[in-house]
């Protein structure tokens, strides 16, 4: 009988329930219990924890832990909260999440490509004015980040006929996509894209990456979509770029502080679309299946699944 798997989360019991139910149904051979339900003897033997916003002291309460499976794809908060020498963190890489994110990138790219913010403003002023149509093949989308989410978004954009450019830390080959790496590569993607989409993790290198200087490098009239993490974009620099109409519109799903405070000027900014972190939610069922595969592989081989490079931060 394998040791009980601990489920660590600061989510409310109501919010946790469907995750626990999906995990138990995907792993009927395992016992999965919230930390509070584990006896001291069970805690002492637990080798795997499944986590969603765990308290660092809850992780520390499991002395034999060998690895931590995150229910989220972004793990910067988890990694930042763990002391040096903590067990490896395996983040969620779920093809269904990649598909959902790619769908969101395509949907909001169309929103900007088909000038929806502009026609909506015109309607509110009863203005009947037609603007030039650009085919997708005349419209370039620059993806910052070509990982699990970025490559699927690139594939969907290419299938829809858009010009897709991608930037990553290491050089990459993605079919149909012009790829770039390094500082010079970023400048080239920013300068040549009609929409720039952030799909990078938040790390020391990416925090504040899209600042006044880099936003200024973007094409006049370009749009920005941030679907990864708020602090990658310097909010006041973005607002300044929108106010002076250098950029036309920003679609933001992620913010420095979430939920976005009532007092934020972004709520009412005419060139900003505010979304409540919904571009690619974790799907309980498919996430549980991905996690079940990871845990079964570990049980049979003893190998910990591919995990986060703590020094790199993702
Ligand atoms: P991933 O597979 O780790 O891919 C990250 C990509 O970013 C990789 O291509 C990586 O380059 C690139 N990158 C990282 N640091 C870089 C840097 N300093 N310069 C240039 N490129 C850099 O991550 P993912 O699964 O695609 O997820 C990306 C992020 O999306 C997550 O970290 C999370 O924050 C966010 N997310 C948001 C939502 C939402 O609902 N809004 C949902 C899920 C995820 P290499 O390929 O060279 O490593």
């Amino acid at each position: 009988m394998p040791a009980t798997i601990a489920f660590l989360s600061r989510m409310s019991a109501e919010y946790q329930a469907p995750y626990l139910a999906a995990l138990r149904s995907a792993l009927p051979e395992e016992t999965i219990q919230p930390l509070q339900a584990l006896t001291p003897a069970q805690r002492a033997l637990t080798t795997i924890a499944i986590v969603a916003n765990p308290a660092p002291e809850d992780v520390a309460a499991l002395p034999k832990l060998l690895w931590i499976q995150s229910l989220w794809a972004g793990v910067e908060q988890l990694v930042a909260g763990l002391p040096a020498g903590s067990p490896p963190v395996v983040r969620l890489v779920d093809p269904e999440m990649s598909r959902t994110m790619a769908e969101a990138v395509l949907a909001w790219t169309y929103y900007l490509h088909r000038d929806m913010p502009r026609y909506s403003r015109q309607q509110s002023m009863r203005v009947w004015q037609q603007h030039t149509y650009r085919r997708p093949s005349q419209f370039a989308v620059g993806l910052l980040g070509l990982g699990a989410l970025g490559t699927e978004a690139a594939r969907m954009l290419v299938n829809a006929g858009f010009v897709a450019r991608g930037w990553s830390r290491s050089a990459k080959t993605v079919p149909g996509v012009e790829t770039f790496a390094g500082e010079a590569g970023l400048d080239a993607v920013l300068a040549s894209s009609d929409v720039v989409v952030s799909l990078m993790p938040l790390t020391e290198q990416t925090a504040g990456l899209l600042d006044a200087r880099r936003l200024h490098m973007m094409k006049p009239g370009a749009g920005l979509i941030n679907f990864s993490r708020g602090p990658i974009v310097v909010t006041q620099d973005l607002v300044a770029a929108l106010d002076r109409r250098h950029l036309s519109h920003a679609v933001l799903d992620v913010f420095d502080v979430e939920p976005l405070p009532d007092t934020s000027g972004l709520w009412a900014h005419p060139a900003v679309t505010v979304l409540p972190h919904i571009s690619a939610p974790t799907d309980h069922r498919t996430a549980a299946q991905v996690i079940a595969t990871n845990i079964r592989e570990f049980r049979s081989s003893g190998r910990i699944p591919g995990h986060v490079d703590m020094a790199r931060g993702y």
Side-chain angles (χ1 to χ4, degrees):
M1 180 79 178
T4 303
I5 296 173
F7 183 85
L8 311 182
S9 173
R10 281 177 283 194
M11 298 188 289
S12 68
E14 187 189 9
Y15 200 80
Q16 280 181 32
Y19 287 101
L20 262 173
L23 287 163
R24 286 172 175 154
S25 147
L27 281 162
E29 71 277 25
E30 299 278 350
T31 310
I32 307 172
Q33 289 290 2
L35 183 71
Q36 300 69 24
L38 295 183
T39 63
Q42 285 172 319
R43 288 182 187 202
L45 293 175
T46 293
T47 54
I48 306 171
I50 301 172
V51 308
N53 303 342
E57 59 272 23
D58 287 355
V59 179
L62 302 169
K64 285 258 172 58
L65 209 52
L66 289 176
W67 58 285
I68 300 169
Q69 169 70 61
S70 171
L71 265 170
W72 311 148
V75 290
E76 74 286 345
Q77 278 187 21
L78 172 62
V79 167
L82 291 176
S86 292
V89 171
V90 178
R91 63 187 200 92
L92 182 69
V93 181
D94 178 356
E96 175 56 18
M97 176 180 280
S98 300
R99 191 205 61 75
T100 311
M101 179 59 92
E103 179 186 83
V105 169
L106 184 62
W108 292 98
T109 293
Y110 276 131
Y111 177 72
L112 299 175
H113 163 244
R114 294 305 301 257
D115 275 333
M116 295 190 209
R118 190 179 201 176
Y119 286 119
S120 166
R121 269 195 311 277
Q122 283 187 195
Q123 181 179 349
S124 68
M125 295 180 294
R126 297 170 185 254
V127 172
W128 181 276
Q129 189 186 348
Q130 296 162 347
H131 302 282
T132 312
Y133 170 74
R134 290 170 291 178
R135 291 191 299 277
S137 59
Q138 299 169 302
F139 196 89
V141 184
L143 296 160
L144 308 185
L146 281 176
L149 305 182
T151 45
E152 181 58 14
R155 198 188 63 77
M156 249 195 225
L157 288 164
V158 168
N159 281 349
F162 287 100
V163 176
R165 304 208 164 95
W167 184 66
S168 49
R169 203 177 46 86
S170 54
K172 288 247 138 60
T173 307
V174 182
V177 181
E178 198 181 352
T179 55
F180 300 82
E183 181 80 10
L186 176 58
D187 296 356
V189 172
L190 293 176
S192 61
S193 301
D194 297 291
V195 170
V196 169
V197 184
S198 174
L199 287 174
M200 288 179 295
L202 177 60
T203 66
E204 275 176 28
Q205 284 70 41
T206 63
L209 186 83
L210 295 181
D211 59 5
R213 186 175 71 81
R214 293 209 177 85
L215 293 170
H216 185 70
M217 277 179 194
M218 287 172 62
K219 257 179 150 175
L224 178 74
I225 297 177
N226 188 4
F227 281 172
S228 59
R229 285 297 181 261
I232 291 171
V233 181
V234 180
T235 305
Q236 67 181 38
D237 294 353
L238 172 63
V239 170
L242 293 166
D243 285 346
R244 63 188 164 83
R245 309 266 164 90
H246 174 61
L247 299 184
S248 58
H249 199 88
V251 178
L252 306 175
D253 186 45
V254 287
F255 302 90
D256 294 340
V257 179
E258 295 181 16
L260 183 65
D262 278 1
T263 49
S264 170
L266 294 173
W267 284 110
H269 196 292
V272 174
T273 297
V274 170
L275 301 172
H277 204 131
I278 44 74
S279 50
T282 297
D283 178 303
H284 307 136
R285 199 178 51 81
T286 57
Q289 283 160 358
V290 167
I291 291 172
T293 301
N294 285 350
I295 289 174
R296 286 198 183 110
E297 276 178 17
F298 171 75
R299 293 290 194 212
S300 66
S301 70
R303 274 193 304 275
I304 296 171
H307 46 85
V308 172
D309 176 334
M310 298 300 237
R312 214 174 54 169
Y314 72 99

